Amino acid sequence: MATASTAELTPAQLVDQHRPTLDQALETIRTRAYWSPHPEHPKAYGENAAAEGQAAFEALRGKRLGLDQPGTDAWVGGEVSPYGPELGVEYPHPDADVLLPAMRAAMPAWRDAGPEARAMVCLEILSRISARTHEFAHAVMHTSGQAFMMAFQAGGPHAQDRGLEAVAYAYREQVRVPEAADWSKPQGKRDPLNLSKRFTAVPRGVALLIGCNTFPTWNGYSGLFASLATGNAVLVKPHPRAVLPLALTVAVAREVLAEAGFDPNLVALAAERPGEGLAKTLALRPEIRVIDYTGSTAFGDWLEANARQAQVFTEKAGVNTVVVDSTDDYRGMLANLAFSLSLYSGQMCTTPQNLLIPREGITTDAGHKSYDEVVTDLAGAVQGLLGDDARAAALLGAIVNPQVRERLEAAAGLGEVALATRAVAHPDFPGATVRTPVIVKLDGAKPDDEAAFLSECFGPVSFAVAVDSTADAVGLLRRTVRDKGAMTVGAYTTSPEVERLVEEACLEECAQLSLNLTGGVYVNQTAAFSDFHGSGGNPAANSALCDGAFVASRFRMVEVRRQA
Amino acid sequence: MATASTAELTPAQLVDQHRPTLDQALETIRTRAYWSPHPEHPKAYGENAAAEGQAAFEALRGKRLGLDQPGTDAWVGGEVSPYGPELGVEYPHPDADVLLPAMRAAMPAWRDAGPEARAMVCLEILSRISARTHEFAHAVMHTSGQAFMMAFQAGGPHAQDRGLEAVAYAYREQVRVPEAADWSKPQGKRDPLNLSKRFTAVPRGVALLIGCNTFPTWNGYSGLFASLATGNAVLVKPHPRAVLPLALTVAVAREVLAEAGFDPNLVALAAERPGEGLAKTLALRPEIRVIDYTGSTAFGDWLEANARQAQVFTEKAGVNTVVVDSTDDYRGMLANLAFSLSLYSGQMCTTPQNLLIPREGITTDAGHKSYDEVVTDLAGAVQGLLGDDARAAALLGAIVNPQVRERLEAAAGLGEVALATRAVAHPDFPGATVRTPVIVKLDGAKPDDEAAFLSECFGPVSFAVAVDSTADAVGLLRRTVRDKGAMTVGAYTTSPEVERLVEEACLEECAQLSLNLTGGVYVNQTAAFSDFHGSGGNPAANSALCDGAFVASRFRMVEVRRQA
């Protein structure tokens, strides 16, 4: 247990500072109203925060990021910003035979500290990350290719929200069982049977977080903090193209753990050599008992099948669908969809891919619109949104890796191009690959087209799929979710009957549904404390951010009972 | 949804009748104090209950138990009581291609009914089973071989408690998220973003319960009711030697579901032909999305590895250990252990197998006792407990199957026999195989002996293992739990330091510990609402009865959000 005498951060100080935040988070995951303690606006961080954050980021470049971890056998790096510059940061490469035992040795004291103390330390880590949001924003921007504002918001406050949400779920789950209980069973005329019982939440072991390229913090913080708050040590294996945001996270976590009197080896980094495939090796180590993963379906399926000693939480690929049946706000619908398809160049796991549109057309407040008109108008809306290069760059960000660019370029060969991609000159990074989305027309009744639209085409590629009817669209939606999975489903309709059909399809196939979004909320965005990210019930993901199932199996409850 | 007009049991009636019980169960899983709504004493069920229960059981024999299930393609049966008599009951054999689609079709209305209505129906099912506890006791006795009183208590009220506990956990987990939420995100000077959200707990699919021979109801009800309460349909595949208790359960469930206006196919029976291996076939069906299993490690491991489309909850084999270090109640310790080893002929997954005793002996309130003395005194305690045949039969019950008898007979060849087994004449069933336990002396330092005591030897066989020291015993305990798993661990010690060592071993290896039991509570008994059965964190079981993790992944939460 942390001893107040040696720790710089005492348990009481941490409770004073963070318990109200935890309580508000606990209340919000119950009401699911809007709330966040992490400001979205860059200016909220103080007058000098922007300049200091950028300077802090620049100061990291070309240096070693030392973490003082045991078992460092090499220094590795090689990140190149999707905007062009090399980052030049080097990270410790682990000798797992030294590092993992050190992490295990750190766990008993962390377990003994109990759920509240662990939550408080997690909140202190999040709070220090929050204070450095500008610095993290640059790190996220120059690894993911997100535009600065998105890197700031999604990589900063929104990611921190997801981390805090996971801590709240983890805390609540652990305190459902009391620390102690007196049990007295009546025995008629004889004395009752009396037992004194103690219950302790014990960790599974070392948790492995396998980070992704596009959202290293947003997709990583739920698993990281859920595992840490439930008593596990966490080994962070970032995507080799997006190490820096998670390496900074590990650095902050180690600093706070040490100050609070715990062993900093409760959180460690595992950076890898080019082509090493370190995730695969680590995932099969017997010490690893929890794995969080975001990435390809192939590796996610491999983890689920092979890392049998671990609880495996995966977010994999999916095919997101929007059913377009009818609308009473045609312009709003087009604007909303155009934004959804463009944001971060469609490189979100939640971006719509297939827009299912009846070939007979749809009814709208602007009159009947044929299939061709809808597609043309949507293409126009995207062009309008991205007409100005500076604005386009600020919305699109950069293409994250060559594979996305290859898919984008191949898309034109799949069908009739309703909207071609164009290269956008980035005002700040002239060499950056910034590309507007492509929209391809496909026919839902043609097998060749189906082969195209029923595969995930990650990146700025959408398919306007002509279907025979809305009923046909709902049937295709069901089949898509069941066979390919979906992180999101959208629908536009003015018909209560169609609404009911789409809702029933989503309830039965287990997908999260957004209906008739025409304003400033987009199908690809979910908010922590209120929205679930993924359902965990279709092939796109085996878990949801965040719910009881995401935290409950990360620890076990051990009971010690004595005759009283 | 159930419509009051056609249903005999209206939702309001069910809430009136059962909501207070649910509330008390919810409160008790939080405090973990003693509570049960199901009386343990046979006389509590009314003056004629015993005779009526026995008559009801007798009336079932030699008949078909019709369940009016769709897709019945044959009638199967063949249970023989471990006490001798053939049961002669026949059950419907399913055509899964007809039955499973019928079960799936029943689910949407059950989902729409919501968590409270589902909990109320589950409690009505349990309440009707409770009213027939005498009848169920005979069914459990004549399939498991348990003595009547144990079949009555463990197969009746204790099993019903576990079912109710699972309903309480399932209900609480589902209502952690509200049905609806209004979300309003401030946008500075602009209008806030407003969304209206609805959250629905949706089932995984059809759940498969694979029953066991020894505790068909006790080990079955947690999974059955957890799955049903979370909206799934449940297909019950009993052990071919213990069909009747679960077939009666299915009959009651179908009756209640129909009366409450739901499709009875939400619960169905899958009885099998001899040697059919139906569990293996059903477990791989795509409709099956949840599996609960109690039985051998080999088949449990197979399910975990192969039924990848399902959430798999298993209780498998383990090697339970008692560390004997010292005691201040030598007689109490011996009496408590003697009872634990004898109850139901050691055929409980929680019965101690290995008693680790320092070869130098132990300190007790009756003076120092050598290893040999402890073993001899324990053998004497067992002999004393089982000296009277009628009393012995009432405690031992019958040997459940020939494999247990074979192991019992082979045990004498493993080492020096400290207590030999003897055949007991059963007063009511003269041909029954009733056998007292055997205690074999083994040496913890000998590899041949280790091979014997580190394998599960299910049945009335215990090993008195001589170890070099208590520290050595704790080391062996750790290794046993880590490599072989354990449902229970016991320890006797007067030393706070030894207590701490054993506790730390159990916390790190994740096993449930009972300390210094010398009275009327036994290491092999756990009470619903208070004790965890298994930890889910060692190889003996991947789940615990009952906790959040046991229910949280049986359903998923689907969100439908609309612009407000």
Side-chain angles (χ1 to χ4, degrees):
Chain A
M1 189 161 320
T3 49
S5 52
T6 60
E8 298 166 46
L9 288 169
T10 68
Q13 282 169 345
L14 289 169
V15 168
D16 276 355
Q17 195 162 355
H18 298 301
R19 182 76 216 197
T21 309
L22 178 63
D23 287 337
Q24 187 60 53
L26 290 167
E27 172 65 7
T28 312
I29 59 175
R30 199 185 62 74
T31 65
R32 306 198 86 77
Y34 172 78
W35 176 70
S36 169
H38 304 118
E40 267 185 341
H41 202 292
K43 291 195 177 154
Y45 292 77
E47 213 173 319
N48 305 320
E52 286 169 6
Q54 179 144 22
F57 168 71
E58 294 298 342
L60 294 164
R61 295 180 58 187
K63 303 226 174 66
R64 282 192 173 168
L65 200 143
L67 291 168
D68 201 20
Q69 291 181 180
T72 294
D73 59 11
W75 291 85
V76 294
E79 291 157 293
V80 178
S81 168
Y83 292 96
E86 287 187 16
L87 268 57
V89 188
E90 283 196 326
Y91 309 94
H93 177 278
D95 175 348
D97 290 334
V98 176
L99 182 56
L100 286 171
M103 297 181 77
R104 278 181 62 91
M107 285 166 46
W110 185 236
R111 175 199 73 209
D112 288 345
E116 188 187 50
R118 286 194 292 271
M120 295 301 101
V121 169
C122 288
L123 265 60
E124 176 66 19
I125 296 169
L126 283 166
S127 149
R128 293 203 194 175
I129 290 171
S130 170
R132 290 167 64 178
T133 293
H134 275 274
E135 179 186 356
F136 273 78
H138 289 281
V140 170
M141 176 180 178
H142 286 291
T143 48
S144 69
Q146 290 175 23
F148 179 79
M149 187 54 96
M150 184 170 181
F152 187 92
Q153 294 186 337
H158 298 173
Q160 296 149 22
D161 283 350
R162 281 287 175 204
L164 174 55
E165 175 191 56
V167 173
Y169 266 97
Y171 173 79
R172 177 161 288 173
E173 192 67 33
Q174 292 171 89
V175 300
R176 288 171 81 173
V177 172
E179 287 181 18
D182 292 321
W183 182 88
S184 180
K185 180 173 177 178
Q187 296 292 294
K189 290 170 191 160
R190 287 174 293 148
D191 287 342
L193 299 173
N194 293 320
L195 290 176
S196 152
K197 307 181 179 186
R198 289 200 65 82
F199 302 95
T200 305
V202 304
R204 286 273 183 188
V206 180
L208 176 65
L209 169 65
I210 305 175
C212 70
N213 195 172
T214 47
F215 289 91
T217 56
W218 198 97
N219 272 91
Y221 281 5
S222 297
L224 193 166
F225 285 98
S227 286
L228 191 60
T230 48
N232 303 279
V234 184
L235 182 59
V236 177
K237 206 299 289 172
H239 191 284
R241 293 173 178 274
V243 182
L244 186 56
L246 289 177
L248 291 175
T249 304
V250 169
V252 173
R254 292 176 65 84
E255 168 190 296
V256 171
L257 284 161
E259 285 182 32
F262 295 101
D263 187 332
N265 293 324
L266 287 164
V267 179
L269 185 75
E272 64 190 313
R273 297 189 184 89
E276 181 179 0
L278 183 56
K280 213 160 180 165
T281 317
L282 291 173
L284 299 183
R285 295 278 308 208
E287 299 94 336
I288 300 295
R289 302 297 306 278
V290 178
I291 296 176
D292 285 276
Y293 168 74
T294 309
S296 74
T297 295
F299 191 57
D301 287 349
W302 183 88
L303 285 170
E304 291 173 21
N306 292 284
R308 301 288 313 291
Q309 84 291 357
Q311 306 288 309
V312 179
F313 299 90
T314 58
E315 183 191 320
K316 300 173 287 190
V319 173
N320 302 320
T321 298
V322 176
V323 173
V324 181
D325 168 74
S326 51
T327 179
D328 57 10
D329 181 2
Y330 188 56
R331 285 174 59 109
M333 177 183 88
L334 295 173
N336 189 282
L337 283 175
F339 188 94
S340 286
L341 302 185
S342 304
L343 184 64
Y344 186 28
S345 308
Q347 298 170 122
M348 301 174 73
C349 55
T350 50
T351 303
Q353 173 176 310
N354 295 341
L355 312 173
L356 310 187
I357 306 164
R359 59 181 95 243
E360 306 282 288
I362 65 170
T363 56
T364 82
D365 58 316
H368 182 269
K369 298 288 178 186
S370 70
Y371 164 81
D372 283 333
E373 285 173 312
V374 174
V375 179
T376 304
D377 291 345
L378 178 62
V382 174
Q383 281 177 305
L385 181 67
L386 305 176
D388 173 71
D389 277 5
R391 193 177 162 198
L395 195 58
L396 294 165
I399 296 298
V400 66
N401 62 42
Q403 290 76 42
V404 174
R405 187 163 45 185
E406 283 160 23
R407 273 194 297 272
L408 171 63
E409 276 154 14
L414 297 170
E416 183 191 337
V417 174
L419 176 66
T421 180
R422 81 177 170 91
V424 173
H426 198 290
D428 304 323
F429 304 95
T433 304
V434 181
R435 298 287 293 268
T436 64
V438 64
I439 300 177
V440 177
K441 287 177 163 182
L442 295 175
D443 189 328
K446 289 191 182 154
D448 280 2
D449 286 11
E450 179 170 308
F453 67 72
L454 281 189
S455 304
E456 190 197 40
C457 189
F458 186 79
V461 179
S462 291
F463 301 119
V465 181
V467 293
D468 290 341
S469 64
T470 294
D472 191 34
V474 176
L476 179 52
L477 165 66
R478 276 184 186 265
R479 199 148 51 85
T480 305
V481 177
R482 194 181 308 159
D483 297 345
K484 303 295 167 178
M487 295 300 292
T488 58
V489 174
Y492 290 90
T493 182
T494 56
S495 152
E497 174 60 14
V498 169
E499 200 169 301
R500 202 191 61 74
L501 281 175
V502 175
E503 242 185 281
E504 184 63 26
C506 288
L507 290 171
E508 289 189 19
E509 304 305 335
C510 207
Q512 310 297 9
L513 173 63
S514 295
L515 275 168
N516 295 319
L517 298 185
T518 55
V521 176
Y522 303 95
V523 65
N524 23 355
Q525 297 176 325
T526 64
F529 310 113
S530 184
D531 292 321
F532 291 103
H533 176 72
S535 75
N538 69 56
N542 79 358
S543 55
L545 307 182
C546 189
D547 63 6
F550 190 72
V551 297
S553 61
R554 289 175 197 260
F555 68 98
R556 305 276 70 211
M557 201 52 81
V558 170
E559 173 182 352
V560 178
R561 59 184 193 173
R562 295 171 168 78
Q563 227 158 259
Chain B
M1 187 160 323
T3 49
S5 52
T6 60
E8 297 167 48
L9 288 169
T10 67
Q13 282 171 345
L14 288 170
V15 168
D16 276 356
Q17 197 162 356
H18 298 300
R19 182 75 217 197
T21 309
L22 177 63
D23 287 336
Q24 187 60 52
L26 290 168
E27 172 64 8
T28 311
I29 59 175
R30 198 184 63 74
T31 65
R32 306 197 87 79
Y34 171 77
W35 175 70
S36 169
H38 304 119
E40 266 185 340
H41 202 293
K43 289 193 176 153
Y45 292 77
E47 212 173 324
N48 304 321
E52 286 169 6
Q54 178 143 24
F57 167 71
E58 294 297 341
L60 294 165
R61 295 181 57 187
K63 302 222 175 64
R64 281 192 174 167
L65 199 142
L67 292 169
D68 202 19
Q69 290 180 182
T72 296
D73 59 11
W75 291 85
V76 294
E79 290 156 295
V80 179
S81 168
Y83 293 96
E86 287 186 17
L87 267 58
V89 188
E90 283 195 328
Y91 309 94
H93 177 278
D95 176 347
D97 290 333
V98 177
L99 182 56
L100 287 172
M103 297 181 77
R104 278 182 62 91
M107 283 166 46
W110 186 235
R111 174 199 73 209
D112 288 344
E116 188 186 49
R118 286 195 292 272
M120 296 300 102
V121 169
C122 288
L123 264 60
E124 176 66 18
I125 296 169
L126 283 166
S127 148
R128 292 204 196 174
I129 290 171
S130 170
R132 288 166 65 177
T133 294
H134 275 275
E135 179 185 357
F136 272 78
H138 288 282
V140 170
M141 176 181 178
H142 287 292
T143 49
S144 69
Q146 289 174 23
F148 179 78
M149 187 55 92
M150 184 171 181
F152 187 92
Q153 294 186 338
H158 298 173
Q160 295 149 22
D161 284 348
R162 283 284 175 206
L164 174 55
E165 175 191 55
V167 173
Y169 266 96
Y171 173 79
R172 175 161 288 173
E173 192 68 33
Q174 292 171 91
V175 300
R176 287 172 83 173
V177 172
E179 288 182 19
D182 292 321
W183 183 87
S184 180
K185 179 173 176 178
Q187 296 292 294
K189 290 170 190 161
R190 288 173 291 148
D191 287 343
L193 298 174
N194 293 320
L195 289 176
S196 152
K197 307 181 179 187
R198 287 199 67 82
F199 302 95
T200 305
V202 305
R204 286 274 183 187
V206 180
L208 176 65
L209 169 66
I210 304 175
C212 70
N213 195 171
T214 48
F215 290 91
T217 56
W218 198 97
N219 273 92
Y221 281 5
S222 297
L224 193 166
F225 285 98
S227 286
L228 191 59
T230 47
N232 303 279
V234 184
L235 182 58
V236 178
K237 206 299 291 174
H239 191 283
R241 292 175 179 274
V243 182
L244 187 56
L246 289 176
L248 291 175
T249 303
V250 169
V252 173
R254 293 176 64 84
E255 170 190 294
V256 171
L257 284 162
E259 286 181 33
F262 295 101
D263 187 333
N265 293 325
L266 287 164
V267 179
L269 186 75
E272 66 191 313
R273 299 189 184 90
E276 182 179 0
L278 184 55
K280 212 161 180 166
T281 317
L282 291 174
L284 299 182
R285 295 278 307 207
E287 300 93 336
I288 300 296
R289 302 297 307 279
V290 178
I291 296 175
D292 286 277
Y293 168 76
T294 308
S296 73
T297 295
F299 191 55
D301 287 348
W302 183 89
L303 285 170
E304 292 172 22
N306 291 282
R308 302 284 314 289
Q309 84 291 356
Q311 306 288 309
V312 179
F313 300 89
T314 58
E315 184 191 320
K316 301 173 287 189
V319 173
N320 302 320
T321 297
V322 177
V323 173
V324 182
D325 168 75
S326 52
T327 178
D328 57 11
D329 181 2
Y330 188 58
R331 284 174 60 109
M333 177 184 87
L334 295 173
N336 189 283
L337 283 174
F339 188 94
S340 286
L341 302 184
S342 304
L343 184 64
Y344 185 29
S345 307
Q347 299 170 121
M348 300 173 74
C349 54
T350 50
T351 303
Q353 174 177 306
N354 295 341
L355 313 173
L356 310 188
I357 306 164
R359 59 181 94 242
E360 306 282 286
I362 66 172
T363 56
T364 81
D365 58 314
H368 181 269
K369 299 288 177 183
S370 70
Y371 165 81
D372 283 333
E373 284 173 311
V374 174
V375 180
T376 304
D377 291 345
L378 178 61
V382 174
Q383 281 178 307
L385 180 69
L386 305 175
D388 173 72
D389 278 5
R391 192 178 162 199
L395 194 59
L396 294 165
I399 297 296
V400 65
N401 63 40
Q403 290 75 42
V404 173
R405 187 162 46 185
E406 284 161 23
R407 273 194 296 271
L408 172 63
E409 276 154 14
L414 297 171
E416 184 192 335
V417 174
L419 177 66
T421 179
R422 81 178 171 90
V424 173
H426 198 289
D428 304 323
F429 304 96
T433 305
V434 181
R435 299 286 291 269
T436 64
V438 64
I439 300 176
V440 176
K441 287 179 166 182
L442 295 176
D443 189 327
K446 290 191 183 156
D448 280 3
D449 286 11
E450 179 171 308
F453 66 72
L454 282 189
S455 304
E456 190 198 42
C457 188
F458 186 80
V461 178
S462 291
F463 301 119
V465 181
V467 292
D468 289 341
S469 64
T470 295
D472 190 34
V474 176
L476 179 53
L477 164 66
R478 276 185 186 264
R479 199 148 50 87
T480 306
V481 177
R482 193 181 309 161
D483 296 345
K484 302 296 168 178
M487 294 301 291
T488 58
V489 174
Y492 291 90
T493 183
T494 56
S495 153
E497 174 59 15
V498 169
E499 201 170 300
R500 203 191 60 74
L501 281 175
V502 175
E503 246 185 279
E504 184 62 27
C506 288
L507 290 171
E508 288 189 20
E509 303 304 336
C510 207
Q512 310 297 7
L513 172 64
S514 296
L515 275 169
N516 295 319
L517 298 185
T518 54
V521 176
Y522 304 95
V523 65
N524 25 354
Q525 297 175 325
T526 65
F529 310 114
S530 183
D531 292 321
F532 292 103
H533 176 72
S535 75
N538 69 57
N542 78 357
S543 55
L545 305 182
C546 191
D547 63 7
F550 190 72
V551 298
S553 61
R554 289 175 197 261
F555 69 99
R556 303 276 72 209
M557 200 53 80
V558 170
E559 173 182 353
V560 178
R561 58 183 193 174
R562 295 170 169 79
Q563 228 158 257

